[in-house]
Amino acid sequence: MSNTVVLKAEPRTNAGKQIAKHLRAEGRLPAVVYGEKAEPIACSIDRKELETLLHDQGRNAIVSLETGINGSDSTIIKEIQHDPVRGEILHVDFHRIDLTRKIVVDVRVDAEGIPMGVRNDGGILEHMLHYVEVECLPTEIPERIEVDVTELNIGDNIHVTDLVLDGDPQIVTDSDRTVFAVAAPTLRQEEEEEELVEGEEEELVEGEEGPQEPEVIERGKRDEEEEA
């Protein structure tokens, strides 16, 4: 379940690419907090503090954001923008929440174990859906959903409806969507195996044909000598 983490923010009045670039050069990130019928607040946060928060608590932690304007706001991280090339965090959006009202958040789904179809038959575990939407109180957000896939054979699937959560949180993602599937070895794998076998056969044939040619020539020479 989600923990509450305190994060200090400094209000900012200026915006734009140059301001954001200057903030990032100082080890801070531009951010904004909005929602719950209050005015948005533009601010900046310490980059290392945010990275520590994400590493230790994950995306769904409740963040008590201290902006110095209205005391502190209970928030969750709504969106993180990354540099498409370097992957660095560029901007963060926080959304105000009411701890007594349910919200919908994305919760990660992880596989536990190795499917029988993979271990015994060379199948492939396909992770089709990495996150599902969960409706719950902010204080009851699951850290993640673990799914035991060890009994899956080739052709078996796990759907959203098969996922189980403790307590009151409810999954609102379409129940028919596939989360995990164990597929047979791919056609490409079979083609590569066939190409490998064919290559070995060609090498074997070439190896057999190689010494035959000089033998034919040699016999021809001996025949000519006998006729002479």
Side-chain angles (χ1 to χ4, degrees):
M1 299 302 173
S2 295
N3 298 317
T4 300
V5 181
V6 176
L7 189 63
K8 293 183 178 181
E10 295 180 0
R12 57 189 174 93
T13 55
N14 297 324
K17 292 184 178 179
Q18 291 302 319
I19 299 297
K21 185 177 180 179
H22 180 70
L23 285 171
R24 287 191 283 267
E26 293 182 339
R28 301 190 66 79
L29 295 170
V32 62
V33 54
Y34 61 91
E36 283 298 311
K37 300 179 181 180
E39 291 296 323
I41 299 175
C43 57
S44 68
I45 56 175
D46 184 271
R47 176 178 56 83
K48 290 185 178 179
E49 289 183 2
L50 177 68
E51 291 174 347
T52 299
L53 183 157
L54 293 172
H55 179 271
D56 295 343
Q57 306 295 335
R59 282 283 300 264
N60 288 330
I62 300 173
V63 181
S64 179
L65 196 64
E66 297 182 348
T67 61
I69 296 179
N70 298 321
S72 63
D73 291 304
S74 293
T75 70
I76 60 170
I77 297 172
K78 192 66 175 179
E79 183 179 359
I80 299 178
Q81 297 176 15
H82 293 84
D83 183 283
V85 178
R86 297 188 296 272
E88 300 173 351
I89 299 176
L90 300 178
H91 189 276
V92 186
D93 287 353
F94 294 91
H95 190 270
R96 295 186 187 93
I97 56 174
D98 181 343
L99 298 181
T100 64
R101 293 174 56 188
K102 291 184 177 182
I103 58 175
V104 176
V105 294
D106 292 332
V107 177
R108 179 178 171 178
V109 183
D110 291 330
E112 294 293 327
I114 301 175
M116 294 177 61
V118 174
R119 184 171 58 251
N120 300 332
D121 302 312
I124 301 171
L125 177 64
E126 297 180 336
H127 197 165
M128 316 291 286
L129 194 63
H130 291 266
Y131 290 87
V132 294
E133 290 185 322
V134 174
E135 183 179 36
C136 60
L137 291 173
T139 54
E140 297 179 346
I141 301 174
E143 181 179 349
R144 62 174 182 161
I145 301 172
E146 298 180 355
V147 182
D148 184 356
V149 298
T150 55
E151 298 299 320
L152 296 182
N153 290 295
I154 289 178
D156 290 343
N157 302 286
I158 290 180
H159 299 91
V160 171
T161 189
D162 299 316
L163 304 181
V164 178
L165 290 178
D166 295 330
D168 294 330
Q170 294 183 344
I171 298 174
V172 295
T173 300
D174 185 354
S175 61
D176 292 332
R177 295 191 62 180
T178 302
V179 183
F180 295 105
V182 177
T186 63
L187 178 62
R188 180 56 187 164
Q189 284 181 314
E190 295 176 354
E191 290 175 348
E192 290 175 352
E193 291 176 359
E194 290 177 0
E195 290 174 359
L196 180 60
V197 172
E198 290 175 358
E200 292 175 349
E201 290 177 350
E202 289 176 0
E203 290 179 359
L204 183 60
V205 170
E206 290 175 359
E208 293 175 348
E209 291 178 349
Q212 290 177 356
E213 184 175 351
E215 290 180 1
V216 172
I217 295 174
E218 196 65 31
R219 283 198 298 270
K221 287 183 178 180
R222 282 199 294 269
D223 292 343
E224 290 175 359
E225 290 175 356
E226 290 175 358
E227 290 176 359

